[in-house]
Amino acid sequence: MKRSPTSPEQSARSETRKTLSREAWIAAAIAALEKKGIANVKIDHLSKQLKVTRGSFYFHFQNLKDLLDSLLEEWRRRNCKPFEALIDQEVIDGPAFFDAVTGVWIREDPFSPRLDLAIRDWARGSAVIARKVQAQDDFRMALLVRAFAAMSYDQDESLIRARITYFQQIGYYATHFKEPPADRKRFRSLYTKILIGSE
């Protein structure tokens, strides 16, 4: 009796588990996104790069959108949640809260500057992604405004100081500025002094 042809998806589910993990696929997709942009995040491209069949992909993901959603979730986990974890903090000490916010960028653990830039680049061609990025920008900026307000700056000055701080930080990694970690730590207090206007 002849067997009916099977689809790639069905073949994937009948494969043994000698496939790459879901995490490996996501890591490869993130690397492709960071290096060449969203246009390079394709199943065939990744399969060739990883030297596996498409069936390995379908073992873990329903389709390309499923993978792209996973990339966004990884961005949220690494680059959004550390800031969101600060939302419930009572801001009594403005400089300390400022350090808590900026520390997310400086530690780069788990925050990834390259992933943030790649998502921003993706947002240029997607209104949906652009809205997500804008919402996160607004959220991070609001945290900085709270820090400056706790330092007794008025509403307008808190906003402008928050913008200067945020744009400086984005520019820092958008220009791919290279600086030894030791120097970045050494200059942190000076940056803070200048940005918050302390004597």
Side-chain angles (χ1 to χ4, degrees):
M1 187 177 191
K2 276 189 174 183
R3 292 183 179 179
S4 58
T6 57
S7 67
E9 292 84 352
Q10 290 170 326
S11 297
R13 286 167 176 76
S14 66
E15 282 186 351
T16 62
R17 289 185 177 267
K18 292 190 297 182
T19 58
L20 288 175
S21 67
R22 180 181 176 89
E23 290 71 24
W25 278 98
I26 292 173
I30 287 175
L33 178 69
E34 291 176 348
K35 188 175 182 180
K36 295 186 178 180
I38 192 62
N40 200 53
V41 181
K42 302 295 183 186
I43 300 171
D44 285 340
H45 291 175
L46 295 172
S47 297
K48 289 177 183 177
Q49 177 189 329
L50 296 169
K51 299 179 181 178
V52 294
T53 65
R54 289 170 60 95
S56 174
F57 174 86
Y58 287 109
F59 188 84
H60 298 293
F61 303 94
Q62 293 182 358
N63 48 39
L64 181 60
K65 182 181 181 302
D66 191 13
L67 174 62
L68 298 183
D69 287 344
S70 296
L71 298 188
L72 281 176
E73 183 54 38
E74 186 67 8
W75 172 66
R76 281 191 287 265
R77 183 185 72 81
R78 295 171 63 179
N79 289 16
C80 303
K81 288 185 179 179
F83 291 105
E84 291 165 0
L86 299 172
I87 190 62
D88 292 326
Q89 278 194 27
E90 185 178 1
V91 185
I92 299 174
D93 185 334
F97 191 68
F98 178 89
D99 278 348
V101 177
T102 57
V104 174
W105 287 302
I106 294 171
R107 288 190 300 274
E108 294 185 11
D109 180 22
F111 184 86
S112 168
R114 291 189 66 186
L115 180 57
D116 224 49
L117 282 177
I119 296 294
R120 289 181 186 282
D121 186 62
W122 182 3
R124 290 175 187 157
S126 168
V128 172
I129 304 303
R131 285 194 293 271
K132 294 179 186 296
V133 170
Q134 184 64 60
Q136 183 59 204
D137 284 340
D138 291 345
F139 184 86
R140 296 172 187 176
M141 195 90 70
L143 291 177
L144 289 168
V145 168
R146 287 176 64 197
F148 287 116
M151 298 178 214
S152 299
Y153 289 112
D154 64 29
Q155 184 177 359
D156 287 345
E157 188 162 354
S158 293
L159 175 61
I160 297 307
R161 285 183 177 274
R163 286 178 178 175
I164 292 170
T165 301
Y166 195 56
F167 298 157
Q168 177 265 339
Q169 185 57 51
I170 291 176
Y172 194 95
Y173 56 78
T175 57
H176 304 286
F177 181 69
K178 302 295 182 185
E179 183 177 49
D183 283 353
R184 192 168 193 192
K185 289 179 181 178
R186 183 165 65 90
F187 290 139
R188 182 179 182 182
S189 60
L190 184 56
Y191 271 116
T192 298
K193 178 181 178 180
I194 292 169
L195 291 168
I196 69 176
S198 63
E199 296 296 330

